[in-house]
Structure formats: structure tokens, C-alpha cells
Amino acid sequence: MERKTGMLKLPPGFRFHPTDEELVVQYLKRKVFSCPLPSSVIRDINLAKFDPWNLPGGCEEERYFFNLKEAKYPTGSRSNRAAGSGYWKATGKEKPIKSASFGQVVGMKQVFVFFRGKPATGTKTDWVMHEYRLAGAESPACVFPQRKNSTHSCTVPSGDWVLCRIFKKKRATDVDADTAGDETIPCNMIQFIDLMGETDRDGSHQPSTCLSDSSCLTESSDASSGGEESNSRRSPLA
């Protein structure tokens, strides 16, 4: 089932949670070399035209997009990171993504944070982007074998495509609110009813008077019989 926009709509209960390697090898690599994709769950978008909160899809979930990188200057190699009312700023260093089967580097991952305003004076937001790129077109890992009777050219890159995973990270207050209903009652707050003893009004525990070697019923019986015996002894014989 597909939406009107051409994007695949997943059935209820299904979630799209690919690994970094799957994003690079199964989706980005195929996109770069114009090969058929496993499914049309990732759309093409011009990231520079959108604020992250205005991107297609629900704001409460991760969203994935193909973005064709644009040069910041006509004669330079730096990418244009302006977007909507702000810009994306890189944090940390790029991390290599290795194949779990062969241990070969298949791509690179860079983390960005969205800032409102202009560089140097922008305001940091909670929006985060993971940008994936191929390790390099010259690498053998980035070339698909050409299949027989195939109409797709899988040996020449079609553009400087990257794959973006965008989401809004939760603040500590939001996490506390989500987990507030899961809190357990401390043991010292749990009250137990002592069926074998009594509790005074001040809360101190008083042991039962029936704690002896014999049962209370036996003691009462003995006391009762003892009283009758003493009374019978005191009464004169008829």
C-alpha cells in the first residue's frame, strides 16, 4: 500500500529501524548508483528548504531522507548547511561504518545539531541529524556488479547523495515525565497488616499476649479449670 506521494506506508505495528550498515549498503549505495531500492520508504528531499520540525512525517518519530548535497561556494568543496530558519552544525568527528561480515569500511557517519538563526549567534535546538555518506566512489565496496539484461547502470554515481536520519531528542524533563508512571513504591512506604499482633496508636508494634509455649486456648482452659477447681475446694461438702 502506497501513499499519494509515492512513499510506502508500513502496515500497523511495523517499524522502520535499519542499522547503520543497512542504511549505507542497502539504501544509500543503491541510490548513488541508481540501482533498485529494497522499498520506497525513504524519499528525496531538498534539506535546505526545510526546518526540521516542518519536514514530512511525524515529529515524534525518526525520519529518513535522501538529500543531494549542494556546494556552499561554486569553487569550493564545503557543503551548504543552511536550512530553513537556521543551519546544521557538525558535532564531533565522522565515524566509519564497517561491514559486519567483511570488516570493510562501507560508509561514514556525521552527527549534526540544528541551530536557529545565523552562524556564531544561532540558538541550539533539540533537533539532531545523522548524515551518512559512502566511504568513497573509488572503493570496490561502492560498486555494484552489473547484472545481465539490467536497464540500470550500477557502476557510475548519479550524484553526491547522502542519507539523513533526523529526530528530536528528548530532554531530561520529558524522560522523567514518561517514566513517572513506572515508579515503584519504596519498601519503607508499604504498610503490612499484622494479623498476629497489635499496633498502638503511636505506630509501635506490641507483641501478642498469646506468644507462649502453649496456645491461648489451652491457657484459658487451664485458667478456667483452675478457677473451678479452687472454687470447688472452697465450697463445703454437702
Side-chain angles (χ1 to χ4, degrees):
M1 181 177 180
E2 294 187 359
R3 297 177 180 174
K4 295 181 180 179
T5 57
M7 292 296 296
L8 181 66
K9 183 178 180 181
L10 298 176
F14 283 80
R15 298 293 182 269
F16 184 65
H17 289 302
T19 63
D20 289 347
E21 181 185 354
E22 290 170 341
L23 286 174
V24 171
V25 176
Q26 300 297 331
Y27 289 91
L28 179 58
K29 183 177 174 183
R30 292 176 177 273
K31 179 68 174 179
V32 169
F33 290 97
S34 302
C35 292
L37 298 174
S39 62
S40 55
V41 295
I42 303 178
R43 68 167 66 184
D44 300 350
I45 200 170
N46 186 350
L47 195 61
K49 295 183 178 180
F50 292 90
D51 287 316
W53 50 87
N54 290 331
L55 288 167
C59 294
E60 300 300 326
E61 57 188 14
E62 294 182 339
R63 286 170 287 178
Y64 299 83
F65 304 99
F66 288 120
N67 180 48
L68 192 59
K69 293 174 64 175
E70 298 179 355
K72 187 173 183 179
Y73 305 106
T75 58
S77 59
R78 294 183 60 185
S79 300
N80 181 24
R81 295 300 179 184
S85 61
Y87 59 96
W88 291 98
K89 182 179 180 180
T91 61
K93 297 181 180 180
E94 274 191 318
K95 295 182 179 181
I97 300 173
K98 295 184 178 181
S99 170
S101 302
F102 305 101
Q104 186 179 18
V105 177
V106 294
M108 302 295 292
K109 175 182 177 180
Q110 177 71 61
V111 179
F112 292 85
V113 176
F114 187 78
F115 283 74
R116 274 183 166 178
K118 296 182 179 180
T121 60
T123 303
K124 185 178 180 181
T125 70
D126 295 328
W127 289 93
V128 179
M129 174 175 69
H130 295 171
E131 184 184 87
Y132 301 86
R133 67 176 181 87
L134 294 184
E138 69 280 357
S139 173
C142 295
V143 179
F144 281 95
Q146 185 69 28
R147 296 182 179 179
K148 293 182 179 180
N149 302 326
S150 176
T151 58
H152 298 274
S153 176
C154 298
T155 57
V156 180
S158 60
D160 194 8
W161 289 98
V162 293
L163 196 157
C164 305
R165 171 162 50 192
I166 300 176
F167 59 94
K168 185 179 181 181
K169 68 177 182 179
K170 289 189 175 182
R171 297 183 180 182
T173 54
D174 297 335
V175 176
D176 294 341
D178 292 342
T179 58
D182 298 333
E183 294 182 356
T184 57
I185 302 176
C187 292
N188 57 1
M189 296 297 293
I190 301 177
Q191 297 182 356
F192 296 94
I193 300 177
D194 188 0
L195 300 178
M196 299 298 296
E198 297 178 357
T199 304
D200 290 344
R201 294 180 180 179
D202 59 355
S204 60
H205 178 77
Q206 296 295 334
S208 174
T209 57
C210 297
L211 296 180
S212 61
D213 294 338
S214 59
S215 65
C216 296
L217 181 61
T218 305
E219 291 179 0
S220 300
S221 300
D222 293 344
S224 176
S225 60
E228 294 176 355
E229 183 180 357
S230 60
N231 291 335
S232 62
R233 289 179 179 179
R234 292 178 184 176
S235 59
L237 295 173

